[in-house]
Amino acid sequence: MKEGHFITFEGGEGSGKSTQLKLFAEYLANSGKEVVLTREPGATEVGKEIRRLLVEGDKDKFDEITETLLFYADRRINLTKIVFPALKEGKVVLSDRFNDSTIAYQYYGAAKFKNTEVMDTLYKVVAGDFKPDITFLLDIDVKEGLERSFKKAQGMENKELRFEKADISFHERLRNGYLELAKKEPERFIVINAAQEVSKVRDDIIKAYEAHQHKEERQ
Ligand code: TYD
């Protein structure tokens, strides 16, 4: 694999991907890698403003095109300000969510687009042929994930629940959508059972990453 690679963490609500991303970053740093963490939406100052528009408020406040355009605007900023410059310097970039989130949430979940043409076109505009080297998909039962997510939000004055408010079938569709994406691109996706204990999920991620690295080295 080339120096400087791009690894994304994906999953539904309450899958624990943000915790796991931090643990994986620690592991990489301990093995001597220079790591940069980013997230979508909202990794930059402008991105934070876009994030607030997207994750707060009424779940039906945007039509599907407006919502999708906002995610791609944020993605463009993330790529040009954080991801591309860090990769150029040979760093490993970990992103908490990336383009697969848009396919999972806005296409599969919301189920308002006939196909992914809008997303595919916008992706080309903001990213060209660039793709993540590895995508960890943290898969968990929808009810279990939502319970975790609401529990975490309790008492925290968390206003960022716009997507959690969608009905359960939205979350079922997006979970199955993610699994379909993983099936389509098995060389990029690594599916992890996120219902296990935090330390077991962490170990599974590291094991899968090391196996992936050995495979790359042999090629
Ligand atoms: P995130 O900060 O990862 O929240 P959480 O930790 O609750 O998963 O993402 C914020 C929300 O934005 C989340 O509900 C998923 C949603 N989202 C999309 O709908 N489409 C996208 O393209 C992205 C990047 C996120």
Side-chain angles (χ1 to χ4, degrees):
M1 190 181 281
K2 62 182 185 298
E3 261 318 301
H5 54 265
F6 183 49
I7 301 174
T8 59
F9 282 67
E10 296 281 359
E13 304 304 323
S15 59
K17 63 185 169 38
S18 311
T19 305
Q20 290 300 333
L21 182 140
K22 283 187 206 113
L23 293 171
F24 186 61
E26 269 170 32
Y27 155 82
L28 289 176
N30 287 338
S31 35
K33 301 239 168 39
E34 272 199 89
V35 187
V36 170
L37 305 186
T38 188
R39 77 187 300 199
E40 290 190 4
T44 61
E45 279 311 306
V46 177
K48 279 190 193 111
E49 295 188 34
I50 299 176
R51 178 186 177 89
R52 194 183 53 73
L53 293 173
L54 279 163
V55 300
E56 292 183 15
D58 185 75
K59 73 178 173 50
D60 299 317
K61 71 179 187 179
F62 297 125
D63 77 358
E64 66 275 20
I65 305 264
T66 312
E67 181 171 294
T68 302
L69 286 168
L70 286 169
F71 278 115
Y72 280 97
D74 174 74
R75 184 152 305 133
R76 176 70 185 169
I77 301 169
N78 184 30
L79 285 170
T80 55
K81 299 284 184 206
I82 298 177
V83 180
F84 292 156
L87 291 178
K88 228 177 182 179
E89 291 172 3
K91 295 178 179 159
V92 181
V93 182
L94 306 183
S95 189
D96 190 341
R97 298 196 181 280
F98 188 61
N99 195 55
D100 300 304
S101 282
T102 314
I103 309 290
Y105 281 74
Q106 279 65 49
Y107 172 64
Y108 286 107
K112 285 185 183 155
F113 289 100
K114 281 202 195 79
N115 52 47
T116 59
E117 204 184 326
V118 169
M119 287 86 175
D120 298 343
T121 305
L122 290 170
Y123 187 78
K124 273 256 166 215
V125 173
V126 308
D129 293 328
F130 177 74
K131 274 200 162 197
D133 297 290
I134 302 174
T135 297
F136 288 108
L137 171 57
L138 272 63
D139 181 57
I140 188 166
D141 173 78
V142 165
K143 281 199 184 123
E144 209 174 310
L146 284 171
E147 260 165 42
R148 280 191 192 179
S149 200
F150 278 114
K151 226 182 245 168
K152 203 172 111 192
Q154 263 172 14
M156 275 175 50
E157 223 213 308
N158 189 344
K159 292 182 287 183
E160 298 192 343
L161 293 172
R162 188 169 156 251
F163 288 95
E164 280 89 339
K165 284 181 208 152
D167 55 49
I168 193 103
S169 59
F170 173 97
H171 294 281
E172 294 284 4
R173 283 195 298 274
L174 84 85
R175 181 192 187 193
N176 292 330
Y178 265 134
L179 292 171
E180 215 165 288
L181 291 176
K183 236 190 253 163
K184 273 193 224 160
E185 281 186 80
E187 58 303 320
R188 171 163 73 90
F189 274 92
I190 297 172
V191 182
I192 300 285
N193 174 3
Q196 310 173 98
E197 268 183 37
V198 172
S199 61
K200 177 72 171 79
V201 176
R202 172 189 174 271
D203 291 350
D204 281 3
I205 289 174
I206 292 171
K207 235 186 267 160
Y209 172 74
E210 287 176 348
H212 185 277
Q213 292 299 87
H214 288 145
K215 208 167 118 199
E216 287 287 315
E217 278 161 20
R218 272 188 266 114
Q219 277 170 6

